[in-house]
Amino acid sequence: MARTVRTDGHGGRPDGEPAAPAGGRPRDPAIEEAIIQAVRRRLATDGYSSMTIGDIVADAGVTRPTLYRRWANKYDLVIDALEYGLRKQREAYPPLELEQLAPREALVEAVRRLDPRFHNERAMALHGNFMAEVERAPGLLEQLREHGVRPRCEELLMTLVSLQRRGAVREDADLDLVVTLCFGSYFADYLRTGRDVPADLAERVVAAVWPALAVDGKAKPA
């Protein structure tokens, strides 16, 4: 995993940790994986500010020099852990074959892919922790928006645009608002109930918005 130098969103280093020394020792992917997984667990349980390098190296079973040969500071490490999780999540989705789905089915599948907890049951805690850190390390939330929220929402938006071109969705529909409503439904359900995502949530969300989107206003499920 390539080491990059990042800032906390204010142009500074957020935790004051020392920079990693230069070195040419070969990297062991298993060690990096252990460190990344330790960071992901600590982010969900402790949050960014309370999580320490000492906790991470203890959990991963490595030493501080081992970690610092790979990452310059806690902030860089957290960003790589975030990108790792989001990449794994995207890779777990099967391709979205819009042409093979009826319009409403395509929308249900795109809404289902908005779920932040797909492939990561700790995702809601992660979102909450990053929002809580917005004044201390705003770059964390920006990274989450860029690499987590934006790709999901853009996939739904492109699905809606495709359905417009197919003549299934009204030309005057406010697609950006539909994306916001659909994405927000997962957070609203979690905040209201604290439960796991209901298996039929995507279908219910689409059932609520489809009559306002469909060209005839009364489109039936396929």
Side-chain angles (χ1 to χ4, degrees), residues 138-159:
L140 293 174
L141 189 56
E142 288 303 318
Q143 289 289 324
L144 185 60
R145 286 195 185 106
E146 177 66 18
H147 297 289
V149 175
R150 185 180 60 79
R152 286 193 187 94
C153 291
E154 282 191 352
E155 184 175 50
L156 175 56
L157 181 59
M158 292 302 99
T159 299

Side-chain angles (χ1 to χ4, degrees), residues 56-91:
I56 296 166
V57 298
D59 291 352
V62 301
T63 65
R64 285 176 181 264
T66 296
L67 185 149
Y68 283 128
R69 277 194 293 270
R70 292 160 171 82
W71 291 278
N73 54 44
K74 183 172 76 171
Y75 185 82
D76 286 1
L77 176 54
V78 167
I79 294 301
D80 277 352
L82 172 64
E83 292 175 353
Y84 169 93
L86 295 172
R87 184 176 67 254
K88 290 292 187 182
Q89 197 172 47
R90 288 193 299 271
E91 291 172 353

